[in-house]
PDB file of all heavy atoms in Angstrom:
ATOM      1  N   ASN A  12      -9.128   0.649   9.148  1.00  0.00           N
ATOM      2  CA  ASN A  12      -7.685   0.520   9.381  1.00  0.00           C
ATOM      3  C   ASN A  12      -7.498  -0.014  10.797  1.00  0.00           C
ATOM      4  O   ASN A  12      -7.689   0.720  11.757  1.00  0.00           O
ATOM      5  CB  ASN A  12      -7.033   1.904   9.211  1.00  0.00           C
ATOM      6  CG  ASN A  12      -5.563   1.884   9.581  1.00  0.00           C
ATOM      7  OD1 ASN A  12      -4.985   0.815   9.780  1.00  0.00           O
ATOM      8  ND2 ASN A  12      -4.963   3.065   9.661  1.00  0.00           N
ATOM      9  N   LYS A  14      -4.833  -0.889  12.203  1.00  0.00           N
ATOM     10  CA  LYS A  14      -3.521  -0.520  12.772  1.00  0.00           C
ATOM     11  C   LYS A  14      -2.869  -1.776  13.381  1.00  0.00           C
ATOM     12  O   LYS A  14      -3.098  -2.872  12.882  1.00  0.00           O
ATOM     13  CB  LYS A  14      -3.676   0.624  13.766  1.00  0.00           C
ATOM     14  CG  LYS A  14      -4.434   1.797  13.131  1.00  0.00           C
ATOM     15  CD  LYS A  14      -4.328   3.081  13.854  1.00  0.00           C
ATOM     16  CE  LYS A  14      -5.121   4.123  13.079  1.00  0.00           C
ATOM     17  NZ  LYS A  14      -4.990   5.469  13.638  1.00  0.00           N
ATOM     18  N   HIS A  99       0.070   6.486   5.132  1.00  0.00           N
ATOM     19  CA  HIS A  99      -0.660   6.868   6.347  1.00  0.00           C
ATOM     20  C   HIS A  99       0.241   7.747   7.217  1.00  0.00           C
ATOM     21  O   HIS A  99       1.454   7.517   7.303  1.00  0.00           O
ATOM     22  CB  HIS A  99      -1.087   5.616   7.111  1.00  0.00           C
ATOM     23  CG  HIS A  99      -2.020   5.921   8.241  1.00  0.00           C
ATOM     24  ND1 HIS A  99      -1.564   6.365   9.463  1.00  0.00           N
ATOM     25  CD2 HIS A  99      -3.365   5.898   8.326  1.00  0.00           C
ATOM     26  CE1 HIS A  99      -2.603   6.584  10.254  1.00  0.00           C
ATOM     27  NE2 HIS A  99      -3.714   6.309   9.581  1.00  0.00           N
ATOM     28  N   GLU A 101       0.824   7.860  10.263  1.00  0.00           N
ATOM     29  CA  GLU A 101       1.633   7.193  11.289  1.00  0.00           C
ATOM     30  C   GLU A 101       2.915   6.630  10.678  1.00  0.00           C
ATOM     31  O   GLU A 101       3.941   6.543  11.345  1.00  0.00           O
ATOM     32  CB  GLU A 101       0.807   6.108  12.001  1.00  0.00           C
ATOM     33  CG  GLU A 101      -0.166   6.745  12.983  1.00  0.00           C
ATOM     34  CD  GLU A 101      -1.424   5.951  13.260  1.00  0.00           C
ATOM     35  OE1 GLU A 101      -1.487   4.762  12.929  1.00  0.00           O
ATOM     36  OE2 GLU A 101      -2.374   6.556  13.801  1.00  0.00           O
ATOM     37  N   GLU A 170      -6.747  12.850   5.663  1.00  0.00           N
ATOM     38  CA  GLU A 170      -6.624  12.490   7.076  1.00  0.00           C
ATOM     39  C   GLU A 170      -5.784  13.541   7.800  1.00  0.00           C
ATOM     40  O   GLU A 170      -4.556  13.398   7.883  1.00  0.00           O
ATOM     41  CB  GLU A 170      -5.932  11.129   7.203  1.00  0.00           C
ATOM     42  CG  GLU A 170      -6.754   9.973   6.706  1.00  0.00           C
ATOM     43  CD  GLU A 170      -6.547   8.768   7.610  1.00  0.00           C
ATOM     44  OE1 GLU A 170      -5.392   8.456   7.937  1.00  0.00           O
ATOM     45  OE2 GLU A 170      -7.539   8.171   8.015  1.00  0.00           O
ATOM     46  N   ALA A 174      -6.519  15.057  13.788  1.00  0.00           N
ATOM     47  CA  ALA A 174      -7.812  14.425  14.064  1.00  0.00           C
ATOM     48  C   ALA A 174      -7.690  12.916  14.246  1.00  0.00           C
ATOM     49  O   ALA A 174      -8.647  12.259  14.645  1.00  0.00           O
ATOM     50  CB  ALA A 174      -8.785  14.732  12.936  1.00  0.00           C
ATOM     51  N   ILE A 175      -6.509  12.369  13.950  1.00  0.00           N
ATOM     52  CA  ILE A 175      -6.356  10.907  13.987  1.00  0.00           C
ATOM     53  C   ILE A 175      -6.131  10.428  15.413  1.00  0.00           C
ATOM     54  O   ILE A 175      -5.181  10.855  16.066  1.00  0.00           O
ATOM     55  CB  ILE A 175      -5.197  10.457  13.073  1.00  0.00           C
ATOM     56  CG1 ILE A 175      -5.531  10.797  11.621  1.00  0.00           C
ATOM     57  CG2 ILE A 175      -4.928   8.968  13.246  1.00  0.00           C
ATOM     58  CD1 ILE A 175      -4.433  10.459  10.651  1.00  0.00           C
ATOM     59  N   GLY A 176      -7.027   9.572  15.865  1.00  0.00           N
ATOM     60  CA  GLY A 176      -6.879   8.970  17.186  1.00  0.00           C
ATOM     61  C   GLY A 176      -7.060   9.942  18.339  1.00  0.00           C
ATOM     62  O   GLY A 176      -6.791   9.598  19.486  1.00  0.00           O
ATOM     63  N   THR A 177      -7.512  11.134  18.064  1.00  0.00           N
ATOM     64  CA  THR A 177      -7.647  12.139  19.129  1.00  0.00           C
ATOM     65  C   THR A 177      -9.056  12.205  19.678  1.00  0.00           C
ATOM     66  O   THR A 177      -9.288  12.834  20.705  1.00  0.00           O
ATOM     67  CB  THR A 177      -7.293  13.548  18.602  1.00  0.00           C
ATOM     68  OG1 THR A 177      -8.206  13.863  17.529  1.00  0.00           O
ATOM     69  CG2 THR A 177      -5.868  13.618  18.092  1.00  0.00           C
ATOM     70  N   GLY A 213     -10.698  10.551   7.020  1.00  0.00           N
ATOM     71  CA  GLY A 213     -10.316   9.771   8.195  1.00  0.00           C
ATOM     72  C   GLY A 213      -9.830  10.664   9.318  1.00  0.00           C
ATOM     73  O   GLY A 213      -9.175  11.684   9.087  1.00  0.00           O
ATOM     74  N   GLY A 214     -10.150  10.264  10.533  1.00  0.00           N
ATOM     75  CA  GLY A 214      -9.737  11.021  11.720  1.00  0.00           C
ATOM     76  C   GLY A 214     -10.885  11.115  12.693  1.00  0.00           C
ATOM     77  O   GLY A 214     -11.744  11.977  12.557  1.00  0.00           O
ATOM     78  N   SER A 215     -10.924  10.152  13.658  1.00  0.00           N
ATOM     79  CA  SER A 215     -11.932  10.152  14.730  1.00  0.00           C
ATOM     80  C   SER A 215     -13.370  10.100  14.220  1.00  0.00           C
ATOM     81  O   SER A 215     -14.271  10.679  14.831  1.00  0.00           O
ATOM     82  CB  SER A 215     -11.729  11.362  15.656  1.00  0.00           C
ATOM     83  OG  SER A 215     -10.462  11.289  16.282  1.00  0.00           O
ATOM     84  N   VAL A 216     -13.581   9.393  13.104  1.00  0.00           N
ATOM     85  CA  VAL A 216     -14.972   9.167  12.670  1.00  0.00           C
ATOM     86  C   VAL A 216     -15.602   8.156  13.620  1.00  0.00           C
ATOM     87  O   VAL A 216     -15.000   7.131  13.941  1.00  0.00           O
ATOM     88  CB  VAL A 216     -15.041   8.629  11.215  1.00  0.00           C
ATOM     89  CG1 VAL A 216     -16.480   8.292  10.845  1.00  0.00           C
ATOM     90  CG2 VAL A 216     -14.450   9.631  10.244  1.00  0.00           C
ATOM     91  N   LEU A 234     -12.246   6.532   6.227  1.00  0.00           N
ATOM     92  CA  LEU A 234     -11.162   5.635   6.640  1.00  0.00           C
ATOM     93  C   LEU A 234     -11.213   5.636   8.169  1.00  0.00           C
ATOM     94  O   LEU A 234     -10.996   6.660   8.810  1.00  0.00           O
ATOM     95  CB  LEU A 234      -9.816   6.153   6.119  1.00  0.00           C
ATOM     96  CG  LEU A 234      -8.543   5.382   6.479  1.00  0.00           C
ATOM     97  CD1 LEU A 234      -8.660   3.904   6.170  1.00  0.00           C
ATOM     98  CD2 LEU A 234      -7.349   5.957   5.708  1.00  0.00           C
ATOM     99  N   ILE A 235     -11.543   4.487   8.720  1.00  0.00           N
ATOM    100  CA  ILE A 235     -11.917   4.413  10.135  1.00  0.00           C
ATOM    101  C   ILE A 235     -10.871   3.634  10.921  1.00  0.00           C
ATOM    102  O   ILE A 235     -10.550   2.498  10.557  1.00  0.00           O
ATOM    103  CB  ILE A 235     -13.286   3.676  10.282  1.00  0.00           C
ATOM    104  CG1 ILE A 235     -14.311   4.144   9.230  1.00  0.00           C
ATOM    105  CG2 ILE A 235     -13.835   3.811  11.695  1.00  0.00           C
ATOM    106  CD1 ILE A 235     -14.738   5.575   9.343  1.00  0.00           C
ATOM    107  N   GLY A 236     -10.371   4.205  11.993  1.00  0.00           N
ATOM    108  CA  GLY A 236      -9.406   3.518  12.851  1.00  0.00           C
ATOM    109  C   GLY A 236     -10.112   2.860  14.019  1.00  0.00           C
ATOM    110  O   GLY A 236     -10.669   1.770  13.903  1.00  0.00           O
ATOM    111  N   GLY A 237     -10.130   3.549  15.147  1.00  0.00           N
ATOM    112  CA  GLY A 237     -10.677   2.984  16.387  1.00  0.00           C
ATOM    113  C   GLY A 237     -12.046   2.340  16.226  1.00  0.00           C
ATOM    114  O   GLY A 237     -12.271   1.215  16.701  1.00  0.00           O
ATOM    115  N   ALA A 238     -12.956   3.028  15.546  1.00  0.00           N
ATOM    116  CA  ALA A 238     -14.331   2.524  15.438  1.00  0.00           C
ATOM    117  C   ALA A 238     -14.430   1.291  14.528  1.00  0.00           C
ATOM    118  O   ALA A 238     -15.469   0.621  14.509  1.00  0.00           O
ATOM    119  CB  ALA A 238     -15.270   3.630  14.943  1.00  0.00           C
TER     120      ALA A 238
HETATM  121  P1  LIG B   1      -9.050   7.013  13.969  1.00  0.00           P
HETATM  122  O1  LIG B   1      -7.925   6.629  12.891  1.00  0.00           O
HETATM  123  O2  LIG B   1     -10.381   6.748  13.328  1.00  0.00           O
HETATM  124  O3  LIG B   1      -8.774   6.116  15.136  1.00  0.00           O
HETATM  125  O4  LIG B   1      -8.847   8.454  14.285  1.00  0.00           O
HETATM  126  C1  LIG B   1      -8.086   6.926  11.543  1.00  0.00           C
HETATM  127  C2  LIG B   1      -6.861   6.490  10.765  1.00  0.00           C
HETATM  128  O5  LIG B   1      -5.744   6.608  11.274  1.00  0.00           O
HETATM  129  O6  LIG B   1      -6.956   6.004   9.623  1.00  0.00           O
END
Side-chain angles (χ1 to χ4, degrees):
N12 174 10
K14 307 196 179 185
H99 189 279
E101 284 153 15
E170 291 218 313
I175 296 177
T177 60
S215 298
V216 175
L234 178 51
I235 316 295

